[in-house]
Structures are given as C-alpha cells and as structure tokens.
C-alpha cells in the first residue's frame, strides 16, 4: 500500500473517531466507557498504520539513496577505468599495443562479455583482426572482415546482431552469440570496428545496457588508432619517396653504411647499382609529366618485384634510382642488373613509348673500399654506360689487391 493511501485512510479514520465521540456523547457511563475503548483501539490502529507508512517511506528513500550511491560508484569506477585506458593509449605504438590495452580494460569493465577489435588495412578494402578476447564456440571472430558485410560500418552507427531475437544480422556471422558492433570514427573517418558479444539469457537487453560503455571504449580507441595511423604516415613520409614508394636518399645512405659495416664483419660483399632512365626529359616533354610519373612508378614496381626483400631500392634523385644488394658479389650484381634492364625495357609496349635505362655497378670490396667511394664509382660506371650508347650495364674494374701483386710461390714436389 502506498504512503498517500495509508495517510488518507488514517485521516478518514480520524474523522470517524470524532463522529463516534459525538454520537456517544449523550450515552450513559457504561456506554461511554465502551465507546472510549473503541475510540482508543481505532486510534492505536491508526497510529500503527501511520507509523508503518512512515517506515515504508523511509525504507524506500534509503533504498533509493543506496541505489543512487551504487550507480554513482559504478559510474566512478567506469570513468576511472576509461581515463586509465586513455592514458595508456598515449604510449601505444601499434595496433597490437592498442588492442592489448582495450582487452585489459574491457575484461575489467565487462568480464562476462567477449570482444574483438578490427582495424582497416592500408588499402582500406578490408578490416583485419587486431585482437580478440573471451572467445568460445558461440563467438568466433574471423581473421578478416569486409566493410560491405557489416551494417554498423555501412550505417556508421552501432548495430546489434541477435540471432535469437531475429534481428537484422550482418553477413559476417561470428557464431550464435549476440553481438553489438560499434564503428570507431575519428576526424570524420572510420578507422575500425569494436565488437562485444554476450551468450546468455536476455542478450538483447544486456547488450542495450552496455552500449554506452561500448561507445566510450570505441571513442577512446578511435583516437588512438587515428594517432597511430598518423605517426605511421609521418614515419613513411620521412623514409619513402611519395611518388614511387621507394626509399628516399636519406634512408639509402643509412642503409648502405649499415650493410657495408655488417659485410666487413662477416667478410661478405655489398653491391650498388646506379640506374638512370634514358631520355627521360624528352619523354616528359613529349608526353607530359603525368606520363613521366606513371613511368617512374612502373619502373619502381618492376625493380621491387625482381629483387629480394633484403635488397634496398631507393630514389636517388629525379629519374635516377639506386639499388643496394647485401651479400652479393660483382658478378651476381651484373647479372641482376641485366635482368632489371630487360624488365624496364619491357615497359615500352605498355606505355607505347621507348623506355630504357643505363646501369652502373660497383661492389665493396671488389671494386671499392667503403661506402664513401662505392656510390661515386657506381655513378662513374653509369656514365660509361651512357657513353656506350645507353640501355646497357657497365661496372667498375676490380681493384688490385696485395694478393694479386704477390709473386707466385715455389712448391717442391718429390
């Protein structure tokens, strides 16, 4: 019974008591005594009812205050965890670091929920699984995910998949568990997808309850992933040529010093190939700079595809390129240069114009002694190839060593 009803009943009873007193006012002593007893009984009952109503109201206020305190404590805990997560994400260097921080925070805030973090690849045609946690038979995140298969990514809003409630589910089904998917957006661009799963009763309502936390986790992660992508872009720009995607001259010089130092310790050889596209200025003048840029990109692609992952291909300047071949002697470098020359010449048909290149090769220690003279010597050999008619490969002559000058030793046979 509500307190207002109880109090109303008490007031009505009080009026009844007054009416009873007035009714019995003209009775004799006996009747007045009975009436007084009845009035006292009714008063006691009304007092008890009023006390119960007040106690019930006080208990309800206590419960409300306790619930408010519990909610405030839970909210405070969530905010502290989210602040700690944001602080840790400042030190994340890659997606694996960020995923580990997200997993740790999610397991503390939502221990009953599974989760997965997907991040766009460089070409942004798919999302790769960066981290997953609390997976089971009902929740199996795949290694990749296509944006066209996800309603959350297509709409740019959180989406709940609950097969048990017959909701509209994404094509990339991850099992029988219900999931809430939240796109991670920062600076007007989607950077990834956060998925939380729950396998139990009333999954839809449980996921609805955690959407706010999921959005908070997603917002923190989106900023972190955006910063990681920005740092990676700046790092790439500092190392690579923006047109061809090859390493720039600064990285090439550092790599050459490092490879030659390692070769001196191991006794190996390091070769350098200088490449210059023939008549490239004429090609630009006749076909435009857009055509020249396209040729440069295709030449770079041919060089990279024909070499080993350990080889370094750099844009030395303009239409001049350079290749560093660690653990490669002069003869092998000449063979490799001839292969590259043929591949570059093969681009002529695709571009409907004559494309060729001249090559100069030098090697430490066969032709040169250090990183300071191997590049000038390869450049000298390149100019010799230009003088020889272009579209050919030339190398520096092998230097004479003490072993070459040593007189032959006499051997005694008997």
């Amino acid at each position: 019974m509500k307190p207002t009803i109880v109090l109303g009943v008490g007031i009505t009873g009080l009026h009844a008591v007054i009416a009873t007193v007035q009714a019995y006012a003209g009775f004799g002593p006996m009747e007045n005594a009975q009436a007084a007893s009845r009035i006292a009984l009714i008063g006691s009952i009304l007092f008890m009812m009023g006390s119960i109503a007040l106690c019930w109201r006080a208990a309800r206020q206590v419960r409300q205050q306790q619930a408010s305190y519990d909610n405030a404590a839970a909210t405070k805990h969530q905010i502290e965890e989210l602040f700690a997560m944001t602080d840790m994400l400042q030190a994340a260097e890659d997606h694996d670091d960020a995923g580990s921080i997200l997993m740790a925070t999610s397991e503390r805030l939502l221990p009953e929920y599974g989760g997965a973090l997907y991040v766009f690849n460089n070409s942004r045609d798919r999302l790769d699984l960066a981290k997953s946690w609390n997976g089971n038979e009902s929740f199996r995140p795949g290694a990749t995910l296509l944006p066209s298969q996800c309603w959350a990514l297509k709409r740019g809003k959180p989406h709940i998949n609950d097969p048990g409630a017959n909701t509209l589910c994404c094509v990339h089904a991850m099992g029988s568990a219900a999931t809430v998917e939240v796109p991670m957006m920062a600076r007007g661009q989607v950077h990834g997808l956060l998925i939380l799963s729950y396998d139990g009763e009333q999954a839809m309502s449980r996921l609805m309850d955690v959407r706010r936390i999921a959005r908070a986790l997603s917002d923190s992660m989106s900023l972190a992933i955006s910063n990681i992508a920005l740092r990676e872009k700046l790092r790439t720009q500092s190392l690579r040529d923006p047109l061809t995607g090859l390493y720039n001259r600064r990285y090439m010089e550092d790599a050459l010093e490092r490879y030659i130092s390692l070769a001196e310790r191991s006794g190996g050889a390091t070769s350098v190939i200088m490449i210059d596209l023939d008549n490239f200025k004429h090609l630009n003048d006749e076909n435009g700079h857009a055509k020249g840029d396209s040729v440069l990109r295709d030449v770079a692609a041919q060089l990279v595809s024909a070499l080993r992952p350990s080889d370094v291909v750099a844009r030395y300047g303009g239409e001049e390129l350079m290749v560093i071949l660690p653990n490669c002697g002069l003869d092998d470098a000449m063979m490799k240069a001839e292969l590259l020359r043929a591949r570059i010449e093969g681009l002529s048909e695709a571009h409907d114009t004559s494309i060729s290149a001249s090559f100069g090769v030098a090697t430490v220690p066969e032709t040169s002694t250090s990183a300071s003279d191997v590049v000038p010597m390869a450049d000298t050999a390149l100019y010799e190839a230009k003088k020889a008619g272009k579209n050919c490969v030339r190398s520096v002559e092998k230097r004479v060593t003490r072993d070459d000058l040593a007189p032959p030793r006499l051997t005694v046979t008997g």
Side-chain angles (χ1 to χ4, degrees), residues 8-48:
V9 172
I11 294 173
T12 303
L14 182 59
H15 287 293
V17 171
I18 295 172
T20 303
V21 171
Q22 292 175 350
Y24 286 100
F27 291 172
M30 183 62 67
E31 288 81 357
N32 288 338
Q34 293 177 352
S37 298
R38 292 174 182 175
I39 293 172
L41 178 61
I42 294 173
S44 300
I45 293 174
L46 293 177
F47 178 79
M48 292 178 61

Side-chain angles (χ1 to χ4, degrees), residues 39-113:
I39 293 172
L41 178 61
I42 294 173
S44 300
I45 293 174
L46 293 177
F47 178 79
M48 292 178 61
M49 293 176 64
S51 300
I52 292 173
L54 292 175
C55 291
W56 188 92
R57 184 176 182 179
R60 186 183 66 172
Q61 291 177 348
V62 169
R63 289 195 298 269
Q64 291 176 346
Q65 292 175 356
Q66 184 64 40
S68 299
Y69 175 80
D70 293 341
N71 291 334
T75 302
K76 179 176 179 294
H77 174 67
Q78 293 172 3
I79 293 174
E80 289 176 348
E81 289 288 348
L82 291 173
F83 270 119
M85 172 184 172
T86 303
D87 182 61
M88 290 294 296
L89 286 173
Q90 300 300 318
E93 295 185 355
D94 51 29
H95 295 152
D96 188 60
D97 287 348
S100 298
I101 296 171
L102 171 64
M103 180 180 68
T105 304
S106 179
E107 287 181 334
R108 286 196 297 270
L109 291 177
L110 305 169
E112 299 178 359
Y113 294 77

Side-chain angles (χ1 to χ4, degrees), residues 73-359:
T75 302
K76 179 176 179 294
H77 174 67
Q78 293 172 3
I79 293 174
E80 289 176 348
E81 289 288 348
L82 291 173
F83 270 119
M85 172 184 172
T86 303
D87 182 61
M88 290 294 296
L89 286 173
Q90 300 300 318
E93 295 185 355
D94 51 29
H95 295 152
D96 188 60
D97 287 348
S100 298
I101 296 171
L102 171 64
M103 180 180 68
T105 304
S106 179
E107 287 181 334
R108 286 196 297 270
L109 291 177
L110 305 169
E112 299 178 359
Y113 294 77
L117 171 65
Y118 284 88
V119 180
F120 272 102
N121 63 348
N122 292 332
S123 59
R124 295 189 62 82
D125 59 352
R126 74 170 191 274
L127 292 93
D128 297 328
L129 180 64
K131 185 72 68 173
S132 64
W133 57 95
N134 295 342
N136 50 41
E137 291 298 325
S138 61
F139 178 60
R140 300 182 301 275
T144 60
L145 186 152
L146 298 180
S148 60
Q149 297 178 341
C150 179
W151 284 107
L153 293 175
K154 288 191 286 188
R155 298 172 62 240
K157 299 178 181 179
H159 181 76
I160 293 180
N161 298 311
D162 187 2
N166 296 323
T167 63
L168 177 63
C169 296
C170 299
V171 178
H172 60 86
M174 296 186 177
S176 59
T179 60
V180 57
E181 303 179 357
V182 185
M184 294 185 294
M185 303 183 65
R187 300 184 178 94
Q189 187 177 26
V190 180
H191 293 275
L193 183 70
L194 171 64
I195 299 178
L196 296 177
S197 71
Y198 182 78
D199 185 19
E201 298 180 354
Q202 300 180 346
M204 174 69 79
S205 61
R206 294 293 296 269
L207 292 175
M208 292 288 289
D209 292 339
V210 300
R211 282 192 308 172
R212 183 177 60 85
I213 299 179
R215 287 292 298 270
L217 293 172
S218 174
D219 290 342
S220 298
M221 283 299 299
S222 61
L223 291 174
I225 293 177
S226 174
N227 291 335
I228 291 172
L230 181 60
R231 288 198 299 268
E232 184 63 27
K233 182 178 180 180
L234 294 174
R235 186 183 299 113
T236 299
Q237 290 178 349
S238 67
L239 298 179
R240 293 188 179 273
D241 171 60
L243 174 63
T244 62
L246 301 177
Y247 289 109
N248 57 26
R249 184 166 179 171
R250 178 187 303 173
Y251 179 85
M252 176 273 300
E253 292 172 350
D254 293 341
L256 183 61
E257 290 280 357
R258 183 170 63 255
Y259 279 131
I260 291 180
S261 297
L262 293 174
E264 290 176 350
R265 295 179 184 179
S266 61
T270 301
S271 295
V272 171
I273 303 177
M274 294 294 296
I275 307 170
D276 186 76
L277 297 180
D278 299 328
N279 306 316
F280 190 74
K281 184 178 183 302
H282 177 73
L283 186 148
N284 274 331
D285 294 340
E286 290 292 325
N287 302 280
H289 289 280
K291 184 74 169 182
D293 291 345
S294 177
V295 170
L296 272 174
R297 284 192 291 267
D298 287 349
V299 168
Q302 289 293 326
L303 296 178
V304 172
S305 62
L307 297 173
R308 302 168 297 178
S310 59
D311 299 333
V312 176
V313 187
R315 188 178 182 185
Y316 195 72
E319 68 273 17
E320 197 168 11
L321 311 174
M322 194 180 92
V323 178
I324 303 174
L325 303 174
N327 299 320
C328 181
L330 182 62
D331 295 337
D332 292 335
M334 290 290 291
M335 295 175 59
K336 181 62 71 173
E338 182 61 33
L339 172 63
L340 297 177
R341 186 202 65 78
R343 296 191 68 157
I344 292 176
E345 189 178 17
L347 294 173
S348 300
E349 183 177 355
H351 288 273
D352 195 24
T353 186
S354 176
I355 300 175
S356 64
S358 301
F359 291 73

